[in-house]
Amino acid sequence: KAGVTQTPRYLIKTRGQQVTLSCSPISGHRSVSWYQQTPGQGLQFLFEYFSETQRNKGNFPGRFSGRQFSNSRSEMNVSTLELGDSALYLCASSSLDSTDTQYFGPGTRLTVL
Amino acid sequence: AQSVTQPDIHITVSEGASLELRCNYSYGATPYLFWYVQSPGQGLQLLLKYFSGDTLVQGIKGFEAEFKRSQSSFNLRKPSVHWSDAAEYFCAVGAPRQGGKLIFGQGTELSVKP
């Protein structure tokens, strides 16, 4: 099975712009979670989608949003970018069997100038 | 509230030496526990996981971890470290059946001396 894929791998934006990141889960996985990784805050949970519905949400401002499509692919959007949004954004998918194990993609490196 | 503590930010071991990375968690019941490894610029790779049953779990690349309920710990071990093990290691806790949200420790960076 192919793993979790994320596009693009690298992005450079300027403050005030918006950005959309994409995640394709492992085939058959219906849950997709997003995480932000920064040197200062570490790995922080953004939100989780299951069957096109946001089921769980972390403590991030409303500028961070996401959605999931019927094929389980997910996108996250960040509006009005700030310098502090520079981070590695990781997507993980899970089959939600008895173990809820999450498998991560390679991430999208976002740099905000 | 759930939390995970990895007390060691950076550890250096010699190649061939044994390794133990510490992880302590806070959770009201028995959580799901995971160890992931991350190489520079890469995503997270699952090393092993604990859900229930045998408290000693085996993972990939020769790693194992032991769940100790009384100490709220889930330490990662490897008997003989290889240079390719140099990476950052993350311990994580998840709530059973609540899906999607993992709480991560701050990570332990492992350096391997030749």
Side-chain angles (χ1 to χ4, degrees):
Chain A
K1 270 186 183 177
V4 177
T5 59
Q6 293 187 246
T7 57
R9 291 293 310 277
Y10 302 92
L11 267 178
I12 299 176
K13 293 287 188 178
T14 56
R15 280 181 299 173
Q17 287 187 310
Q18 75 166 16
V19 68
T20 299
L21 313 181
S22 180
C23 171
S24 293
I26 293 170
S27 177
H29 286 193
R30 294 167 61 195
S31 169
V32 173
S33 299
W34 289 89
Y35 295 82
Q36 181 195 65
Q37 185 178 25
T38 59
Q41 299 299 315
L43 281 152
Q44 294 184 286
F45 171 77
L46 280 156
F47 31 64
E48 183 232 358
Y49 285 86
F50 176 72
S51 293
E52 302 178 64
T53 301
Q54 186 181 89
R55 193 170 61 162
N56 218 335
K57 188 178 187 305
N59 188 26
F60 278 82
R63 300 184 297 107
F64 292 82
S65 62
R67 59 178 175 168
Q68 186 180 33
F69 302 95
S70 58
N71 61 358
S72 294
R73 190 176 70 84
S74 177
E75 290 181 346
M76 68 162 282
N77 184 77
V78 188
S79 62
T80 320
L81 284 166
E82 300 177 0
L83 295 179
D85 297 333
S86 294
L88 181 67
Y89 290 89
L90 292 164
C91 164
S93 75
S94 169
S95 65
L96 291 184
D97 57 11
S98 61
T99 64
D100 292 349
T101 302
Q102 293 186 35
Y103 297 91
F104 284 80
T108 294
R109 171 72 64 185
L110 172 64
T111 301
V112 182
L113 303 176
Chain B
Q2 300 169 42
S3 66
V4 178
T5 302
Q6 293 180 245
D8 305 305
I9 296 173
H10 189 207
I11 284 182
T12 300
V13 300
S14 298
E15 190 168 16
S18 63
L19 171 70
E20 182 168 25
L21 302 182
R22 297 183 290 164
C23 172
N24 292 97
Y25 68 90
S26 173
Y27 185 69
T30 300
Y32 292 168
L33 294 161
F34 306 85
W35 276 99
Y36 288 89
V37 61
Q38 185 178 38
S39 297
Q42 301 298 312
L44 302 175
Q45 181 182 23
L46 178 69
L47 285 175
L48 47 77
K49 58 192 178 186
Y50 173 79
F51 296 97
S52 64
D54 193 348
T55 56
L56 185 63
V57 294
Q58 302 297 320
I60 62 171
K61 303 185 180 186
F63 286 93
E64 66 177 27
E66 186 171 13
F67 170 61
K68 292 185 177 179
R69 184 191 307 275
S70 61
Q71 298 176 21
S72 296
S73 69
F74 188 57
N75 294 349
L76 182 71
R77 301 194 294 248
K78 187 170 185 178
S80 177
V81 170
H82 187 262
W83 64 266
S84 60
D85 293 325
E88 191 153 21
Y89 292 79
F90 293 93
C91 181
V93 62
R97 289 302 184 187
Q98 291 183 30
K101 180 178 181 178
L102 293 178
I103 305 297
F104 284 88
Q106 284 297 100
T108 297
E109 185 178 355
L110 173 66
S111 298
V112 180
K113 291 191 300 187

